[in-house]
Amino acid sequence: MILRMLLMLILAFFDGKNPVSILLLGTDTGKFGRSDEISNTDTIIVATIDAQNKRSALFSVPRDTMAEMIGTSSFNVQKINAAYSIGKAKMAMNTVSALVNVPLKYYVEVNMAGLEKIVNAVDGVDVQVPFTFSYGGYTFTKGPMHLNGAQALAYARMRYDDPENDYGRQKRQRQVIKSIVKKRNFIEHGQEPGDHP
């Protein structure tokens, strides 16, 4: 229900004729005593939907990418995940748009608790664990696994034990998103979202 409402809201602004890109922001709040007052976006993904050609793609922007903060009163370069803490979603959207040269008018913002709820709302997600690891009180064994909300959050958060560090985490985050989309049948005929590093 949560995902369907988000999709309906996005599609209300989408004519279906031209590709549209949406910024997906995952904030590091909502769990573990972290308040929503001060937060960064540890997940920054540009999702592009081309309905006419029945294609979609997910492109992760590394959280530590240095970028000019678009919307500040003076020239300001910081890690891109700080844009949200400075100017909330509007600045994050404008900063990412300028960095990757992709027009962005819409965004979806989800905190850690929200991700748990979304995954539980679709009865869990199916992922392909790239290697065995433990994080957040859970053990993930290499190969296919079905994860509930709390497990999916831990799976998408682990970074330091991944041989690819944040790049590996980005891949796992996209896995979770694609599994959510697939579970809700939001892509009816075409391919699943593309996986771009």
Side-chain angles (χ1 to χ4, degrees):
M1 179 62 79
I2 298 170
L3 271 179
R4 191 171 296 281
M5 290 173 63
L6 286 173
L7 187 67
M8 288 175 65
L9 181 62
I10 291 166
L11 292 180
F13 300 99
F14 180 40
D15 61 13
K17 297 178 182 178
N18 299 304
V20 63
S21 293
I22 303 153
L23 185 63
L24 309 180
L25 298 171
T27 62
D28 59 355
T29 61
K31 292 283 289 184
F32 314 114
R34 298 183 183 182
S35 76
D36 288 322
E37 295 178 9
I38 301 174
S39 62
N40 291 321
T41 46
D42 278 349
T43 302
I44 305 170
I45 296 175
V46 176
T48 300
I49 302 167
D50 182 353
Q52 278 198 323
N53 295 306
K54 296 177 181 175
R55 297 178 62 187
S56 59
L58 299 175
F59 176 84
S60 296
V61 179
R63 64 190 290 280
D64 293 333
T65 302
M66 299 303 292
E68 180 183 355
M69 302 291 104
I70 304 300
T72 56
S73 58
S74 59
F75 183 70
N76 185 349
V77 174
Q78 295 193 41
K79 291 179 180 180
I80 198 164
N81 71 333
Y84 181 86
S85 64
I86 298 170
K88 296 300 178 186
K90 182 178 180 180
M91 182 175 288
M93 193 162 54
N94 291 338
T95 298
V96 172
S97 180
L99 178 72
V100 301
N101 195 27
V102 172
L104 293 169
K105 295 182 180 179
Y106 317 115
Y107 71 92
V108 175
E109 177 186 331
V110 179
N111 66 15
M112 292 186 286
L115 176 63
E116 271 196 34
K117 291 177 182 177
I118 290 171
V119 171
N120 287 332
V122 297
D123 297 322
V125 292
D126 298 304
V127 298
Q128 188 72 27
V129 181
F131 57 92
T132 299
F133 68 92
S134 295
Y135 183 82
Y138 301 101
T139 295
F140 304 93
T141 305
K142 183 177 180 179
M145 281 190 71
H146 182 80
L147 310 178
N148 63 26
Q151 291 171 320
L153 176 61
Y155 182 72
R157 289 189 70 218
M158 190 279 286
R159 176 168 50 137
Y160 295 116
D161 291 333
D162 193 308
E164 295 183 275
N165 203 280
D166 197 42
Y167 293 107
R169 177 166 70 168
Q170 291 164 26
K171 291 178 182 178
R172 283 180 277 110
Q173 291 170 347
R174 294 195 300 270
Q175 271 192 47
V176 171
I177 292 170
K178 287 191 290 184
S179 183
I180 292 169
V181 170
K182 188 174 181 180
K183 288 289 291 287
R184 296 305 298 173
N185 296 318
F186 285 158
I187 297 176
E188 296 179 357
H189 305 294
Q191 64 193 65
E192 296 175 22
D195 196 4
H196 299 278

